[in-house]
């Protein structure tokens, strides 16, 4: 519920919502806050290379942040993002609940109709630097609940339309979601020190210097 509330303010909320006061949050790296244009300027540019990529090189879903709750990462994200909490039954089966898929603005009342999307898709992450990571770091990326923007519950249809495309080739169909999406994309790239290719960077600049110039990006480097 808290996670969904934070997301609901859109990209601007990345800067405005204060850090939680728990010991874990206090121990986390300090968050960086900047404008979208400046954030885009921090993304390094390189050519992308998908040689050797397979999804199995990013282990997911694992046991999640709470290894004792019987739920995997997918289920934990669904529970966190529900606007009406589901009932958690034996084996972490989710019953009931309501979600709003921000990519397309659809209200969903069945957890099975949702995908958990990696904001920067696994293939795109591989192209952008993850090919050099250890298996443990790729698993951490694929199950990252340390930032509200890394994983997002959306309709299966919108997630599959997006596939592994970057913002040069795909944007959420809901215009109201696009600035938030660009801000969260850039925040994820910076969090994990991922690069961008020329086409991707130019697309990000179009939004950062135009309709999304007031968007604020907040990110903390991954451990």
């Amino acid at each position: 519920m808290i996670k969904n509330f934070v997301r609901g303010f859109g990209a601007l909320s990345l800067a405005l919502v204060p850090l939680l006061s728990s010991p874990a949050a206090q121990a986390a790296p300090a968050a960086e806050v900047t404008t979208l244009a400046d954030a885009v300027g921090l993304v390094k540019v390189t050519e992308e290379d998908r040689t050797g990529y397979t999804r199995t090189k990013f282990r997911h879903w694992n046991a999640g942040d709470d290894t004792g709750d019987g739920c995997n990462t997918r289920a934990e994200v669904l529970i966190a993002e529900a606007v009406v909490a589901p009932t958690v039954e034996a084996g972490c089966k989710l019953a009931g609940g309501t979600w709003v898929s921000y990519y397309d603005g659809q209200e969903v009342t069945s957890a099975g109709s949702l995908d958990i999307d990696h904001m920067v898709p696994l293939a795109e992450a591989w192209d952008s630097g993850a090919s050099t990571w250890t298996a443990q770091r790729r698993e951490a990326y694929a199950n990252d609940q340390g930032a509200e923007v890394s994983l997002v519950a959306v309709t299966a249809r919108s997630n599959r339309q997006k596939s592994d495309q970057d913002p040069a080739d795909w944007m959420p169909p809901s215009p109201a979601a696009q600035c938030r999406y660009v801000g969260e994309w850039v925040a994820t790239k910076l969090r994990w020190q991922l690069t961008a290719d020329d086409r991707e960077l130019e697309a990000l600049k179009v939004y950062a210097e135009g309709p999304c110039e007031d968007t604020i990006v907040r990110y903390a480097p991954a451990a």
Side-chain angles (χ1 to χ4, degrees):
M1 291 291 288
I2 293 174
K3 188 173 181 182
N4 191 74
F5 178 76
V6 170
R7 287 176 179 270
F9 283 101
L12 185 60
S13 70
L14 297 177
L16 298 181
V17 176
L19 292 174
L20 299 177
S21 58
S22 68
Q26 291 175 346
E32 302 288 342
V33 181
T34 187
T35 64
L36 178 57
D38 285 348
V40 170
L42 294 173
V43 179
K44 295 181 180 179
V45 182
T46 62
E47 293 187 7
E48 295 184 350
D49 184 0
R50 196 159 296 187
T51 303
Y53 168 73
T54 62
R55 283 182 66 85
T56 57
K57 291 182 177 178
F58 293 80
R59 179 175 175 257
H60 66 291
W61 306 108
N62 64 18
D65 279 358
D66 184 350
T67 57
D69 67 0
C71 296
N72 63 14
T73 301
R74 169 186 161 81
E76 288 183 357
V77 173
L78 286 169
I79 293 166
E81 294 196 356
V83 295
V84 176
T87 300
V88 183
E89 300 178 343
C92 199
K93 181 179 179 180
L94 304 184
T98 302
W99 294 262
V100 176
S101 167
Y102 96 79
Y103 288 178
D104 49 14
Q106 297 298 306
E107 184 176 287
V108 180
T109 55
S110 170
S113 298
L114 293 160
D115 283 354
I116 303 303
D117 181 39
H118 293 91
M119 174 54 59
V120 174
L122 301 180
E124 169 70 19
W126 178 271
D127 297 348
S128 307
S131 61
T132 66
W133 294 351
T134 64
Q136 290 75 19
R137 188 162 180 83
R138 287 196 289 268
E139 179 178 351
Y141 177 83
N143 297 274
D144 182 20
Q145 295 184 68
E148 291 89 355
V149 304
S150 295
L151 302 171
V152 56
V154 295
T155 58
R157 179 181 180 183
S158 65
N159 184 41
R160 290 161 199 183
Q161 287 174 340
K162 173 183 173 180
S163 185
D164 58 8
Q165 299 175 93
D166 68 35
D169 296 307
W170 186 89
M171 288 291 288
S174 172
Q178 293 178 355
C179 290
R180 173 181 172 184
Y181 181 77
V182 172
E184 294 184 352
W185 179 278
V186 174
T188 304
K189 286 256 168 161
L190 293 176
R191 173 171 168 77
W192 289 93
Q193 298 182 337
L194 296 171
T195 61
D197 63 18
D198 289 331
R199 288 186 67 249
E200 176 188 347
L201 189 70
E202 288 307 309
L204 295 173
K205 286 181 177 178
V206 168
Y207 285 94
E209 296 169 4
C212 304
E213 63 180 352
D214 294 330
T215 297
I216 301 299
V217 173
R218 178 177 181 269
Y219 68 95

